[in-house]
Amino acid sequence: MSCKSLLYMVGMFVFVPAWIGLLWTDFLKIRERASQLLHAWVLGFATMLATAQLVLVPFVMMQKTLTQALLLWRIILQFLAVLSFVIWLVRRAEAAETVADTAVRTADGTGMRKKVHGKAGTWTIVFGILAAVLILLQAYIPARYEHSDDDDSRFVAEEVSAVVHDTMYREDPITADYMYWDTGEVRKDLTSPWAMFVAMHAKEGNMAPAALSHAYLPFFLILICYALYLLIGQVLFGGDWEKTFLFGIVLSVLHLAGYTSTHTLASMLLLRIWQGKAVCASFALPLFFYLFYQIMKKEAWKRWIPLLYVAGVGTCMLSGIGIVTAPVLLAVYGVLDFCYYRNWRKTLAIWLAAVPCVIFLGYYLM
């Protein structure tokens, strides 16, 4: 892997989603630094999936090239990054004014400055280091050694064809004959164009699609999934980082010992994460449960509702499994939320997040 490709992967799967995700952390008013970074990374990546879905599906239907789709998607990401930067500058200016005002009031004797020093305990540090080691090992080993999976040969063929011919779902992945995008199994790939998402990164990063899928994507995707799991640990244990890191350790051990079949979550996460359905199972569906918890518990639930729509669209991009499962989750949670709050407007807002999934499912079944 060239240095240029490595820098591209770090930028596209770490820096870009985290930078875009700062839009959400500002909107949600998340101020705690570690939590802010994790939220930014996770929510930024979900936003990238959603925007890719909105670009790729119509472009495939209009028989546009991969380069054209990549160009528009790049423009959207750049716009979101610039918007995030502008908001960051505004917030910094506001924070500077607040600090200056506090200093003036303190000098005048009309205010008090308080500094709260929070120091992590010994066990928090130990558990944090151990969790980091286990997570990094789980990200490194599949990326370095596990490159065999017969189930995704069709997707890799689609990615290679897209990069080589600058098309999207125009060649049969088995015979290489010219075909329409709504023929056979490729019809469902239109509504869940994960292969084209990978092909865009391969083309932009100047990498072979198979190498990107099997060697480089797993490392970053596993880390993003664990960032989400740590956020789940935060809500389960009331923001206690010591217990959250211990939760990450236990979860890591369960994943390492969870290869009892090819369909367990451990297998999806550690052996098949380059597939869209594996990202759906390991990232998208847990993200829904995290959002459900926040919407149920937070008084400012209206701030979290838009993320259901982002997650719904992004899940469609990953797999047909997500297109079917996401509406079921939203419908069931909507009922539970209504039974608890008796708020029809809130329940309707939750159910409407399933509309993109229903549209894509309806098109596939037509």
Side-chain angles (χ1 to χ4, degrees), residues 12-218:
M12 186 55 68
F13 287 95
V14 179
F15 180 76
V16 171
W19 191 255
I20 293 175
L22 290 177
L23 287 169
W24 288 112
T25 59
D26 182 77
F27 180 71
L28 298 171
K29 298 188 182 303
I30 298 172
R31 295 292 179 257
E32 200 270 320
R33 185 59 57 86
S35 179
Q36 186 182 52
L37 292 176
L38 289 177
H39 276 94
W41 195 13
V42 169
L43 300 181
F45 181 66
T47 304
M48 289 175 61
L49 295 179
T51 55
Q53 173 75 355
L54 295 177
V55 170
L56 287 170
V57 172
F59 269 50
V60 173
M61 295 181 69
M62 292 186 295
Q63 303 181 20
K64 300 297 183 180
T65 65
L66 180 69
T67 300
Q68 291 172 320
L70 176 60
L71 177 61
L72 178 58
W73 189 58
R74 188 192 303 159
I75 291 173
I76 294 174
L77 293 184
Q78 289 173 350
F79 170 78
L80 293 175
V82 170
L83 180 61
S84 178
F85 181 68
V86 171
I87 293 177
W88 179 79
L89 288 178
V90 172
R91 296 304 181 196
R92 292 285 294 179
E94 292 177 350
E97 290 178 1
T98 302
V99 171
D101 181 65
T102 302
V104 170
R105 289 189 293 110
T106 302
D108 293 340
T110 58
M112 295 180 62
R113 298 185 64 183
K114 294 183 179 180
K115 292 185 178 181
V116 179
H117 298 277
K119 293 185 178 180
T122 303
W123 285 111
T124 301
I125 297 174
V126 170
F127 289 153
I129 294 174
L130 184 56
V133 170
L134 286 173
I135 292 170
L136 287 172
L137 280 176
Q138 288 180 83
Y140 173 76
I141 292 174
R144 180 66 177 84
Y145 298 105
E146 180 55 45
H147 300 158
S148 60
D149 192 337
D150 297 332
D151 190 41
D152 71 337
S153 57
R154 176 168 66 86
F155 304 112
V156 172
E158 291 172 346
E159 296 162 9
V160 172
S161 179
V163 172
V164 172
H165 301 289
D166 197 24
T167 58
M168 292 189 290
Y169 299 125
R170 303 300 292 170
E171 293 81 29
D172 189 298
I174 299 176
T175 65
D177 293 334
Y178 180 85
M179 63 180 290
Y180 293 101
W181 46 257
D182 61 350
T183 302
E185 283 192 326
V186 179
R187 181 179 177 86
K188 68 181 180 182
D189 293 338
L190 163 68
T191 54
S192 300
W194 169 257
M196 295 303 101
F197 178 79
V198 177
M200 286 196 303
H201 289 295
K203 184 178 182 66
E204 183 78 349
N206 194 29
M207 291 174 280
L212 173 63
S213 294
H214 292 164
Y216 308 133
L217 268 182

Side-chain angles (χ1 to χ4, degrees), residues 336-348:
L336 293 175
D337 193 274
F338 178 75
C339 292
Y340 190 83
Y341 287 108
R342 295 289 196 274
N343 187 338
W344 270 111
R345 293 178 61 187
K346 182 180 180 183
T347 301
L348 182 61

